[in-house]
Amino acid sequence: MIRDMHFHNMGYLDVTIPTPLFNSLKTECDTALKNNKEMKSGLSGAGVPIHKYVEDKNNLKDLEDYLYSLVEVYREKFGLDPSDTKTLTNNLPFKMGKPWINYQKKYQFIPKHGHDGIFSYTIWMNIPYNADEELKNGGLHASTFEFTYFDTQGGIRSDNIQLNKTDNGRMLFFPATMTHQVYPFYTSDDYRVSIS
């Protein structure tokens, strides 16, 4: 008898956010570049997108409620719980950090990084191109979102997510420390807009 045994590991959820939440966040994204407070991070600087905070109280509440619902889905799907983080003997309560909007221009990138906390996410609000055109013009990784991780033999693996105009409202929900990056795009002068 031969049995294939797999190691337990955490992945990510690939979901489409509810239309009312998308529409409300999109409305804020359309004005936040001029009106909202800038967020500075260790990734801020030349060649990297501008970050602005999400400030609308209704958006913050609705987004928080939706994210908390995904925590339960994540636990169910993976049978693992990165939120099982204890201080002494008690679990810590969840608290959403302040989300920000990324306004990425042509040729800009977001280098490999992870986030603090338990869970993280990216919601695409405006994808101004199609992946097939990007790949023709920019090569293998053009315009992709990429997770990087180690396999059981210590090899570096990656999962590249190609993005298209039809992906507005798409969200990836993943353990916060999971290493990820965003490659440049080349075929549009519009902003690629996302919320993290």
Side-chain angles (χ1 to χ4, degrees), residues 122-140:
T122 296
I123 308 169
W124 286 284
M125 303 304 296
N126 185 58
I127 302 293
Y129 52 77
N130 285 312
D132 56 346
E133 290 298 315
E134 285 295 312
L135 295 173
K136 277 194 261 182
N137 287 285
L140 180 62

Side-chain angles (χ1 to χ4, degrees), residues 21 24-25 28 54 56-64:
L21 177 58
S24 185
L25 288 168
E28 183 168 3
V54 174
D56 182 279
K57 288 181 182 2
N58 292 327
N59 282 342
L60 290 168
K61 174 68 172 114
D62 292 346
L63 181 56
E64 180 177 55

Side-chain angles (χ1 to χ4, degrees), residues 114-167:
H115 297 168
D116 293 333
I118 306 298
F119 288 105
S120 193
Y121 60 91
T122 296
I123 308 169
W124 286 284
M125 303 304 296
N126 185 58
I127 302 293
Y129 52 77
N130 285 312
D132 56 346
E133 290 298 315
E134 285 295 312
L135 295 173
K136 277 194 261 182
N137 287 285
L140 180 62
H141 296 292
S143 77
T144 60
F145 180 99
E146 181 181 74
F147 287 116
T148 306
Y149 55 95
F150 292 102
D151 66 21
T152 56
Q153 294 182 305
I156 298 173
R157 302 288 181 184
S158 63
D159 192 7
N160 283 35
I161 293 96
Q162 294 184 342
L163 302 168
N164 289 293
K165 289 180 179 180
T166 56
D167 286 322

